[in-house]
Every structure is written in structure tokens, then in C-alpha cells.
Amino acid sequence: MTATLQSPPASGLGRHLLGIDGMSRSDLEEILDLTDTFAEIGRRPIPKVPALRGRTVATAFFENSTRTRMSFETAARRLSADTVAFSAGSSSLSKGESLRDTVEVVASYGADLLVVRHAMAGTAHRVADWTDLSVVNAGDGCHEHPTQALLDCYTLREQRGSLDGMRIAIVGDVRHSRVARSNILAFTALGAEVVLVAPATLLPPAIDGWPVTVFHELDPLLTDLDAVYLLRMQQERITEGLIPSLREYANDFGLSADRVARMRSDALVLHPGPTNRGVEISAEAAADPRSVILDQVVNGVSVRMAVLFRLLGSGQQLVAADIEPVGDDARPEGADR
Ligand code: NCD
């Protein structure tokens, strides 16, 4: 399947978060600003607030996930929302009726918002058409992964203050990456320049019109980048021989110890996880002080708290009561009773 940056239709930031496509710079900045508040809550001894008490967040993951799912569930719990989880092996459900049945069942448990991940591009948009729930896209095939892009932007902004003028290379399997699509839109909307670095076989066939420049070699660029964003080879979506071997790919495009040593001292290394050490990233690059991979994971919870609050909160404004510590739960251990 060839996904384009334009399809399915634009999403914006209304009742749902379906994609970065359709979101303006100010939509993105609104979420990033709200994330600052939730990041502060995450640093408290007991990081839990009543903002979404009485609301239910459901997760329906038709594709495997470790960090995205845990991150949404942690975000919901920190906001005092109830959670309902549905998971399916990717093979056991057909994509038509059974998906719709599942959504109806989840809705019948009284959920207010559904976080959905599916191997088929456009699934979150279809689900949003079928239900009255708010829908958050946690990844639809090769199409979009908007909360990943938001947490990546937040991480870059946290490190640099702003993405304006940054030169960011997205390296690897762009063709099968929903993360790349969402990030190209988000990084450029926030004023960064995006460079794609990949062999021609790992670029989407229809790349004309994308706001990027393309290179087929990483080495000549290394000293001229503010950030390198590495992508995993999406083996689960690769059905043909697109590279000679993983070893050759690693030789040409992997961020080896030698390559990371040649990067600027203030450059950043990002990866959405899961990482394949020795393929797109070496153990040395992942552990380098310029790597912000763990910051991305931490920021993922804060960004998802902001998204859930923005879609489900009582109003658009956070009020003091939303973020005060939660009753007895909030007593630090050993506090007087
Ligand atoms: C990404 C995904 O699922 O698209 N992972 C994630 O959400 N943390 C990237 C990947 O799987 O390579």
C-alpha cells in the first residue's frame, strides 16, 4: 500500500486526534504548551491529579505495542480516568465487521475516548465515523502516528527551546513509517527543515510535493545536522527484498559509534523505539549523552496526558482543581494520617 501525506482526509484538532495532517502550528503549540503542565505533574512525588475523574479511556490495539500502549494507560491513570483495554493478535480479526463490532463493544462499556492502533491505514478515521466517542490514532498502518510526533516535537523543544531553523535528518525506512509521515508534517509546521536519508527502495514511490530534501548517503551530512531521527526497519510491513541485507544497511545508514562521534557536539539523537541495536543504531549511539531516546519515553506520557485532557477535559482551560494532588492517594509515604 502506498500511503501519501494527504490521505485519508485532514484531521485537525477537534473532538479527535487522528493525524498531524490538518493541524496548524498553533494547534501543535497548544498541545506542547499544555504538556508543560503535565510534565510538571509527572515530576511530583505522586504524579496523579483528578482532571479526568469519572471518565473512561479505552485502548484497542489490533497491532503489537509496548511503549505506546503503556504510555496511554499511564497517562489515563495519572489523570484519574478509568481504563478499559482490548487487545488482539493482528491475525485473529478481519478488518471489516469485526473491527466495528469491537468498537461497539468498547463503546458499550461506557468509554468516553478510544485509543486505536491498527495495521490498516485510515482505521482511526473510520472508527471516528462510526462512534460518538473521541478517537485518538495510536498508529494506522504506514499512515500516521500523531502522538509520537507530538512527543518528538516536545522533546526537541525541551532541548532547544524551539524547532525553528533546526535541520533534522529522518534516516531509514521512511516508506513504511507512520512516524516519519507524522513527523515530517509536525517538524516542518514548527519551522524545522527535514532531510530524508535512505536508499531509494526505502522511500515512498510518491514523494513529490513532500516538504523535504532527499539524500541517499548519511556521511556527508553528519556534521551539518541538529538532530538525527532513526527509524526501525519495519520488517512486519516489508514483503519484498528492499535492501541487500541488514548488515549492508547498517554499514551504509546505521548510526555507528564512528558516525555518532562525527556529529556536532550539540546535535541530538532520537528514535521512537523499539530499537534494533546494531542495525539502525549502535549501542554506543543509543547510550551517547546526545541521545534523548529515554526523554522521548518520559515525554510520551506527558504529551498523552495533554491530549487526553484536551479532548476530554471539562473545558479547554485547565483549572486549579484539575491538577491539585489527588486526596489520600496523594499523601507522600510516611506522611501523618
Ligand atoms: C513506532 C510505531 O509503532 O510506529 N513505535 C512506537 O510507537 N513507539 C515505530 C516502530 O515501531 O518502529
Side-chain angles (χ1 to χ4, degrees):
M1 182 178 331
T2 305
T4 73
L5 276 180
Q6 276 76 36
S7 70
S11 323
L13 186 68
R15 204 157 54 88
H16 310 295
L17 177 60
L18 303 178
I20 300 295
D21 191 17
M23 289 180 77
S24 64
R25 179 174 185 139
S26 63
D27 289 335
L28 297 171
E29 285 174 343
E30 181 195 332
I31 294 289
L32 301 182
D33 292 345
L34 193 55
T35 300
D36 281 332
T37 304
F38 292 109
E40 183 276 313
I41 290 164
R43 290 190 288 268
R44 293 180 186 172
I46 298 182
K48 188 164 179 176
V49 295
L52 293 185
R53 185 177 271 164
R55 301 307 201 104
T56 299
V57 172
T59 51
F61 279 68
F62 295 87
E63 238 192 9
N64 295 339
S65 167
T66 307
R67 65 202 77 212
T68 303
R69 183 178 173 150
M70 282 170 59
S71 182
F72 271 108
E73 289 173 356
T74 304
R77 275 198 306 275
R78 288 187 176 179
L79 293 167
S80 302
D82 293 320
T83 54
V84 181
F86 167 85
S87 66
S90 49
S91 60
S92 57
L93 285 161
S94 68
K95 289 170 183 161
E97 274 306 295
S98 50
L99 171 64
R100 190 164 186 157
D101 288 348
T102 308
V103 170
E104 279 165 8
V105 170
V106 169
S108 72
Y109 287 123
D112 299 290
L113 180 145
L114 179 63
V115 180
V116 64
R117 167 173 284 195
H118 200 288
M120 189 170 58
T123 297
H125 292 74
R126 292 178 77 193
V127 170
D129 285 342
W130 292 336
T131 85
D132 293 333
L133 311 183
S134 286
V135 176
V136 176
N137 182 5
D140 62 325
C142 304
H143 180 232
E144 278 234 41
H145 192 353
T147 57
Q148 179 70 45
L150 287 164
L151 76 88
D152 294 330
C153 292
Y154 188 80
T155 303
L156 290 166
R157 201 173 86 151
E158 181 177 57
Q159 297 291 328
R160 286 299 180 83
S162 159
L163 275 71
D164 271 314
M166 285 187 80
R167 190 170 200 226
I168 305 169
I170 300 181
V171 185
D173 185 6
V174 178
R175 181 175 181 149
H176 301 99
S177 173
R178 53 198 175 205
V179 173
R181 279 170 184 70
S182 290
N183 267 334
I184 291 166
L185 292 167
F187 292 165
T188 53
L190 292 172
E193 178 197 346
V194 175
V195 175
L196 302 183
V197 186
T201 50
L202 293 181
L203 290 168
I207 206 165
D208 292 348
W210 288 29
V212 295
T213 43
V214 174
F215 290 84
H216 301 301
E217 277 181 283
L218 180 56
D219 288 317
L221 294 172
L222 275 176
T223 53
D224 199 20
L225 297 170
D226 295 295
V228 175
Y229 195 105
L230 301 156
L231 298 172
R232 183 176 64 86
M233 198 70 67
Q234 306 275 303
Q235 301 284 6
E236 69 275 31
R237 302 192 214 288
I238 298 181
T239 51
E240 52 201 315
L242 297 179
I243 50 166
S245 70
L246 285 180
R247 197 166 144 187
E248 277 183 60
Y249 175 81
N251 273 340
D252 293 343
F253 295 95
L255 194 64
S256 59
D258 170 57
R259 288 197 173 107
V260 81
R262 279 185 277 140
M263 284 173 55
R264 287 202 334 231
S265 60
D266 62 346
L268 302 170
V269 176
L270 295 93
H271 192 304
T275 55
N276 286 317
R277 302 285 163 96
V279 182
E280 74 275 6
I281 189 165
S282 61
E284 292 85 351
D288 191 274
R290 290 165 290 178
S291 159
V292 289
I293 296 173
L294 281 176
D295 303 68
Q296 289 172 273
V297 177
V298 171
N299 290 336
V301 176
S302 311
V303 158
R304 289 172 177 124
M305 288 173 80
V307 167
L308 296 178
F309 179 80
R310 173 64 178 70
L311 298 179
L312 285 183
S314 44
Q316 303 311 318
Q317 297 300 316
L318 262 177
V319 294
D322 286 328
I323 54 171
E324 72 190 12
V326 172
D328 277 354
D329 286 356
R331 251 173 228 274
E333 264 174 47
D336 288 344
R337 290 248 154 210

